[in-house]
Amino acid sequence: MAFSPPPPPKLPIPGRRNILITSALPYVNNVPHLGNIIGCVLSADVFARYCRLRGYNAIYICGTDEYGTATETKAMEEKCSPKEICDKYHAIHSEVYKWFNIKFDKFGRTSSPEQTEVCHAIFHKLMENNWLTENTMQQLYCDTCQRFLADRLVEGTCPNKVCNAAARGDQCETCSTLLNPTELIDPKCKVCKNTPRVRDTDHLFLELPLLKDKLVNYINETSVAGMWSQNAIQATNAWLKEGLKPRCITRDLKWGVPVPHEKYKDKVFYVWFDAPIGYVSITASYTPDWEKWWKDPDNVELFQFMGKDNVPFHTIMFPSTLLGTGEKWTMMKTISVTEYLNYEAGKFSKSKGIGVFGNDAKDTNIPPEVWRYYLLMNRPEASDTLFTWADLQAKLNSELLNNLGNFINRVLSFVAKPAGAGYDSIVPDAPNAESHPLTKAYAEKTSKWVEQYLDAMEKVKLKQGLKCAMAISSDGNAYLQESQFWKLYKEDSAACAIVMKTSLGLVYLLACLLEPFMPSFSEEVLRQLNLSPEENLSFSEEKGEIAKAKSPWDFVPAGHKIGKPAPLFKELKDEGVALHREKYAGSQAERSSKAAADAEASKVANQLKGTKLSDGGPKKEQKKQSGGSKSKTAEADITVAKLDIRVGLIRKAEKHPDADSLYVEEIDVGEDTPRTVVSGLVKFIPLEEMQNRKVCVLCNLKPVAMRGIKSHAMVLAASNEDHTKVELVEPPESAAVGERVIFAGYSGEPEASLSGKSKTWEKLAAELHSNGELVACYKDVPFTTSAGVCKVKTIANGEIR
C-alpha cells in the first residue's frame, strides 16, 4: 500500500492574509489537565481552524517546553534522566492533543538542535548590541545536596503581604507574583527539605530598563491595533508600573540550552528566556524557511494564546529580547489570555494532581466534541470559571442533545423518510423560497447571527462566536415548530419543500460554523448530508459562502441525495455524573491509592467466591421467590398503581425568570387551586402551544425547587430513544379535568418514553417492562402524540408520595 507524502510546509503568500498562531508551550512535568487545554492549545486550535475555514493562509505552531528545573525535579522523582522524562511526557501530550482533535501544523519540542541554534543566534545579537550585563547575585545553595537551587527547587511562603500563600521560588500560583527564591519567607530545599543558605554566584542579565522606551512604544501601538484582551493589558501595565528591572537569563543547571560564553559555559539559559524562543525553533523544525514567517512583520500577523500567568513573558520579556536584537522580527499582534478554570470546589493543579486530566477525559467515554464544546462554552475569558460535572451534564443534555442534535436529526430524519411520508433522502427543489414570509424572516435572523459570529471570531472572542452559532440552531428549532412542516407536507407541498431545503441549508451552515469548535461533529454531519468534508468545509468570502447565509436554501442543491441520519449526541444520566464526580475527586495520588485498594479488595472477593458460606436467610421467603409466585406483569401493575396521573388543563404558561430552558405553568388538576409546575420543554414546544391545552400530569411527586420555583407535579411528555424529539402526551378531548389516567394493555413495540426533560426530574427513570410498553388510555381510548398511539414506559425509582 502506497503512503502519500506529508504536504509541504506552508509559507507566507504575498497578497494573502498570513497568520502565525502559537499557544503557550505546555510543560512536560505532567499530563495536561482541562485548565491547561482550554488555556492554550484548544483555544489556539479553534482560532487556527477558523482561519483555515475562512481561507486564510495560517499555521499553528506548538510543542512541549522541556528544559528547566521542573524537568530535573520530575526526573529525580521518577528516578530517570531529564531526557527520558521529556520523551515520555512529549508522547503523552501528543496523544492527549490528538484525542482532543487539536490540529497543529507542527507540534515540536524545545530540546532540539534548532532551539540551541536560534537561542545562540539571539544571545550573540544581544551581546553585540550591549543589552546584556554581568552581575553577581545571591542565590540559595543547599549544603546537603551540594548545589545551587534553581527557582522551582525552593519552596516557602509568598512575601506578598496580601497573599502569604505557599509558593515556589519562581512564582506564586495564588497571586501570580513573579519571584526570586531569596525573596521567599522560610525557604526550604524541595529535595531534602533542609534550609538552604545564600551564596554569591555570577550571572548574565537582560537590561530591561534600557529597553523600556522601545518596549513601551511597541506595547502602546500593538495593544490597540491587535485588540489585546483586557486581562493582558492590565497584567502588562502592572509590570510597567512597578518599574522594569534587569532580568537574569542564566541558571546553574545542567538540563538546558548551554550558554555560548567561556565564563558561563557551565550554566544554561533560564527557561523564561529560552522557552518563548521555542516558538521560533519549532517553526525552524517545520520549515528551513522559518524566517519568512518570523522576520516579515509587514506580511505576517502573530496571534498568541496563553493563560494569565504567562502574560509578562510574552508582553514584556520576549518582545524585549526580540527588540534587543535590532532585527526585523514578526512581533506579536494579538494576545488572547484566559483566566483560571477551577475544578468543582478547588483549583486545577498539575503539580498537585488535582482535577480532570487529558487522559481522564478520554476514559470517561464522553466524546471529544462534547469536552471541546463544554470547555469552550465555559472558557474563562474575562474571569475565572468553574468546571462541575453537573454543568457538563446540563450543557450536553440541554444544549447539544436537545437543541443542536434535535434540530439536525429532525430535519434529516424527515427528508430521509420514504416518499409519501418524506422525500426519500432527496433534497427537494424550492423555487421562490425568498417569497415565503416565515423563511425570509428566519433567513434574515440567520444572516445577522453569521455577521456577529464573524465579528466575534475575528476579535478572538471564541465563546461569543460559539454562542452565535448555537443561536442559529435554536432558531432552526423554532422555525421548524412555527412552520409545522409535518402539516405542510400534506397541505402545502411547495411550502414544505422550502422549509426543508432551507433547514438542510442551516444544517450545512452549522456544520461549517461549528467545525472550529467541534470538528468531529461537523465531519459526522457532513457524512449524514453525504457531502465531503475536504471539499465542503469552507466559509470564505472569495467563494461567496458568506453571502449564501442570507439565502440558506441555496447551500445544498436540489436533487442531492443525503446519507443516513443517526443521533449525534448521547444523554449523560445522573448516575454517570455521580460516578465521574466520585472517580475524579481528590488528587491523582489519592485516586491511584484508591484504585490499588479497590484492586486488592476485588482480588479478595474473587478468592471468597469459591468458599461455601452458611446461609442464615429466611428460607420461606427464598422459596416463595424461587417459586415465581409473582409474575413480572403483576409487579409492573403494582408500580403503575402508585402513580397518580390526572388530566390537567394549563391555565397559564410563561418562561422561567432564571432559566432559559424551563417553563412555569399553572395547571388545573381538579383541585381547589391550580398547581405550579416547572417543565424543561422550552426547546421543544413553543410558548403559545403551552397555553390552554389539556395534558397528563403526574401529581404525587415530592415537590422540588427548580431554580428558585417549587414544582408540585410533572407534565408528561413522549420522546424518541435519543430524546431528539419531545411532544406532550395529550388526553382525548372528551377527558375531564382532574380525572385519573388508566393504564391498560401492553404493546411489544417500544416507541416513545415518558420524560420530564429536566435534570431535576431525570431520576424518574423510564423503565421498559420485559413484556412491552404500557399504553396510556382514557375510557379505552389511547392517548396520542403526532406520531400516533402514545406508548409510555413504567416509571420506576421516583419519590412517590
Side-chain angles (χ1 to χ4, degrees):
M1 181 179 177
F3 290 94
S4 57
K10 287 184 277 189
L11 295 174
I13 301 170
R16 291 277 298 279
R17 191 172 178 195
N18 301 296
I19 299 181
L20 173 58
I21 300 161
T22 72
S23 64
L25 307 182
Y27 211 82
V28 289
N29 63 332
N30 208 329
V31 182
H33 58 60
L34 298 184
N36 303 137
I37 291 167
I38 186 58
C40 51
V41 293
L42 178 55
S43 295
D45 179 66
V46 171
F47 186 69
R49 286 178 178 275
Y50 166 76
C51 291
R52 297 183 197 115
L53 188 73
R54 293 297 309 280
Y56 304 153
N57 184 41
I59 63 170
Y60 176 18
I61 298 297
C62 191
T64 42
D65 180 7
E66 302 192 349
Y67 286 137
T69 317
T71 307
E72 284 195 355
T73 305
K74 193 70 175 177
M76 287 180 210
E77 289 174 7
E78 299 197 12
K79 297 180 173 58
C80 60
S81 69
K83 173 77 165 60
E84 289 171 322
I85 283 290
C86 293
D87 291 345
K88 171 185 173 180
Y89 282 101
H90 177 80
I92 290 172
H93 276 255
S94 298
E95 190 62 33
V96 167
Y97 302 142
K98 181 180 178 182
W99 186 82
F100 270 93
N101 284 321
I102 309 293
K103 189 177 180 182
F104 304 106
D105 287 277
K106 178 67 179 182
F107 185 72
R109 329 174 49 164
T110 58
S111 61
S112 67
E114 291 87 356
Q115 176 76 354
T116 301
E117 183 181 338
V118 177
C119 275
H120 284 184
I122 289 175
F123 170 78
H124 287 308
K125 282 290 182 182
L126 292 171
M127 286 290 285
E128 287 173 21
N129 296 333
N130 298 316
W131 298 116
L132 298 179
T133 57
E134 298 180 65
N135 208 338
T136 300
M137 64 181 290
Q138 292 186 322
Q139 195 170 335
L140 295 176
Y141 184 88
C142 180
D143 290 307
T144 306
C145 299
Q146 294 190 326
R147 61 183 293 181
F148 282 103
L149 297 179
D151 301 351
R152 288 183 175 230
L153 286 178
V154 185
E155 295 175 334
T157 302
C158 177
N160 186 342
K161 292 180 181 178
V162 297
C163 178
N164 288 134
R168 296 192 311 255
D170 60 341
Q171 187 173 20
C172 175
E173 285 189 350
T174 304
C175 68
S176 298
T177 300
L178 294 178
L179 302 168
N180 286 313
T182 52
E183 296 176 314
L184 286 176
I185 299 168
D186 192 25
K188 300 290 182 184
C189 171
K190 184 174 180 178
V191 178
C192 68
K193 307 303 179 186
N194 289 325
T195 302
R197 64 185 175 90
V198 176
R199 184 171 152 181
D200 289 346
T201 178
D202 292 337
H203 284 285
L204 289 165
F205 289 74
L206 177 64
E207 286 293 337
L208 291 178
L210 300 180
L211 286 160
K212 182 180 177 182
D213 290 344
K214 293 177 182 286
L215 178 65
V216 169
N217 288 339
Y218 158 74
I219 291 170
N220 289 341
E221 182 180 324
T222 312
S223 61
V224 176
M227 295 177 290
W228 287 11
S229 56
Q230 197 58 39
N231 46 8
I233 294 172
Q234 289 170 351
T236 303
N237 287 339
W239 259 70
L240 293 174
K241 187 176 180 180
E242 283 184 17
L244 297 179
K245 301 170 186 175
R247 191 76 182 172
C248 183
I249 68 167
T250 54
R251 275 294 180 263
D252 291 293
L253 291 172
K254 297 298 181 186
W255 182 245
V257 176
V259 179
H261 188 290
E262 184 60 29
K263 182 178 177 181
Y264 299 99
K265 62 184 180 182
D266 292 330
K267 299 180 190 289
V268 299
F269 285 119
Y270 192 4
V271 70
W272 77 258
F273 177 80
D274 92 276
I277 294 172
Y279 301 130
V280 183
S281 72
I282 293 170
T283 312
S285 66
Y286 169 67
T287 171
D289 295 319
W290 62 270
E291 290 188 350
K292 291 182 179 180
W293 283 107
W294 280 99
K295 292 188 177 181
D296 190 3
D298 296 330
N299 293 304
V300 176
E301 301 170 60
L302 174 58
F303 286 72
Q304 298 196 291
F305 291 78
M306 69 206 66
K308 64 181 178 182
D309 51 346
N310 269 316
V311 170
F313 302 109
H314 291 79
T315 62
I316 301 285
M317 296 173 196
F318 188 43
S320 296
T321 300
L322 297 182
L323 290 167
T325 65
E327 297 176 310
K328 197 176 180 183
W329 286 91
T330 300
M331 305 284 285
M332 177 182 64
K333 174 191 174 184
T334 299
I335 181 171
S336 179
V337 176
T338 56
E339 301 290 315
Y340 291 132
L341 175 68
N342 295 320
Y343 179 65
E344 291 281 346
K347 185 176 177 182
F348 278 98
S349 173
K350 270 203 306 182
S351 58
K352 297 174 183 175
I354 293 173
V356 179
F357 288 70
N359 52 341
D360 297 332
K362 184 177 180 180
D363 292 342
T364 63
N365 291 321
I366 297 171
E369 61 264 30
V370 174
W371 283 109
R372 287 178 64 112
Y373 176 84
Y374 177 74
L375 291 172
L376 289 158
M377 195 58 91
N378 211 23
R379 186 174 185 250
E381 293 182 349
S383 60
D384 292 356
T385 57
L386 183 65
F387 170 94
T388 69
W389 288 103
D391 190 37
L392 173 66
Q393 177 193 31
K395 284 185 168 57
L396 167 54
N397 293 349
S398 298
E399 298 172 18
L400 292 179
L401 178 63
N402 296 338
N403 173 6
L404 182 63
N406 176 59
F407 170 65
I408 293 172
N409 194 259
R410 285 181 80 185
V411 173
L412 298 184
S413 295
F414 190 80
V415 173
K417 285 181 179 180
Y423 296 91
D424 203 20
S425 299
I426 304 299
V427 178
D429 194 12
N432 304 315
E434 64 278 1
S435 65
H436 187 254
L438 181 66
T439 298
K440 185 179 180 182
Y442 272 95
E444 288 173 355
K445 289 179 75 174
T446 298
S447 179
K448 289 178 181 177
W449 283 124
V450 169
E451 286 176 13
Q452 291 178 42
Y453 169 91
L454 295 173
D455 181 66
M457 296 301 285
E458 290 293 332
K459 293 175 180 175
V460 202
K461 294 181 178 179
L462 307 183
K463 187 193 294 187
Q464 185 59 34
L466 180 54
K467 287 181 177 179
C468 291
M470 290 298 288
I472 294 173
S473 173
S474 297
D475 283 350
N477 276 309
Y479 174 55
L480 289 179
Q481 211 61 35
E482 196 171 342
S483 71
Q484 295 191 313
F485 64 92
W486 57 92
K487 291 183 180 178
L488 289 180
Y489 185 78
K490 296 178 180 178
E491 299 170 3
D492 189 343
S493 60
C496 187
I498 289 172
V499 171
M500 297 320 295
K501 193 168 189 288
T502 301
S503 297
L504 284 166
L506 293 178
V507 170
Y508 170 80
L509 178 63
L510 284 166
C512 288
L513 299 185
L514 289 170
E515 193 277 340
F517 302 94
M518 297 184 289
S520 56
F521 156 83
S522 294
E523 285 182 17
E524 175 59 21
V525 172
L526 289 180
R527 188 193 67 75
Q528 293 186 28
L529 282 169
N530 194 25
L531 295 171
S532 164
E534 291 75 18
E535 296 173 15
N536 292 281
L537 265 180
S538 172
F539 202 63
S540 104
E541 210 146 5
E542 296 170 2
K543 297 179 182 178
E545 286 147 338
I546 295 175
K548 277 187 183 178
K550 296 178 180 178
S551 53
W553 49 82
D554 288 333
F555 275 121
V556 185
H560 173 78
K561 185 172 184 177
I562 69 168
K564 185 178 179 181
L568 293 161
F569 301 101
K570 186 178 178 182
E571 182 182 19
L572 179 58
K573 300 191 183 242
D574 284 349
E575 51 267 33
V577 170
L579 180 70
H580 295 320
R581 185 184 288 117
E582 181 182 2
K583 184 175 180 180
Y584 300 110
S587 68
Q588 286 176 311
E590 289 167 342
R591 292 176 212 159
S592 180
S593 299
K594 184 179 183 297
D598 290 346
E600 182 62 27
S602 178
K603 182 180 177 183
V604 173
N606 288 332
Q607 290 171 346
L608 289 172
K609 277 184 180 177
T611 306
K612 189 172 182 179
L613 302 175
S614 62
D615 191 350
K619 299 286 194 299
K620 289 183 180 179
E621 180 63 27
Q622 290 172 357
K623 185 176 181 180
K624 182 179 178 182
Q625 289 178 356
S626 62
S629 60
K630 279 191 178 182
S631 70
K632 290 183 178 178
T633 302
E635 290 173 6
D637 288 341
I638 291 171
T639 304
V640 173
K642 293 180 182 179
L643 306 181
D644 177 13
I645 301 177
R646 304 181 207 168
V647 176
L649 178 65
I650 300 177
R651 297 290 186 188
K652 176 184 175 185
E654 58 188 10
K655 290 276 191 75
H656 193 299
D658 296 316
D660 294 339
S661 63
L662 300 178
Y663 284 133
V664 180
E665 305 108 16
E666 297 295 328
I667 304 180
D668 182 357
V669 291
E671 297 171 339
D672 292 340
T673 57
R675 292 199 185 194
T676 299
V677 180
V678 181
S679 305
L681 295 166
V682 170
K683 289 183 171 62
F684 302 101
I685 301 170
L687 184 59
E688 57 270 21
E689 291 184 20
M690 293 290 291
Q691 311 292 341
N692 296 309
R693 67 182 291 176
K694 287 180 180 177
V695 289
C696 297
V697 185
L698 180 55
C699 294
N700 60 332
L701 287 171
K702 181 180 178 181
V704 176
M706 300 173 71
R707 292 291 183 93
I709 296 178
K710 188 167 283 190
S711 182
H712 295 270
M714 181 173 74
V715 175
L716 303 189
S719 75
N720 57 3
E721 283 291 320
D722 61 358
H723 301 299
T724 55
K725 185 176 182 181
V726 177
E727 296 180 7
L728 291 174
V729 178
E730 293 188 316
E733 195 59 41
S734 58
V737 172
E739 286 200 63
R740 288 285 301 270
V741 174
I742 301 169
F743 284 87
Y746 285 94
S747 165
E749 298 178 11
E751 185 171 313
S753 63
L754 207 65
S755 173
K757 300 319 300 168
S758 162
K759 67 180 182 181
T760 305
W761 297 111
E762 282 170 4
K763 292 179 181 177
L764 300 171
E767 181 176 87
L768 179 62
H769 189 271
S770 61
N771 291 338
E773 293 185 336
L774 292 165
V775 177
C777 297
Y778 170 76
K779 296 182 179 176
D780 297 326
V781 179
F783 286 26
T784 61
T785 67
S786 65
V789 174
C790 179
K791 299 159 188 170
V792 297
K793 297 176 182 178
T794 322
I795 291 184
N797 305 326
E799 191 170 354
I800 306 296
R801 292 185 299 180

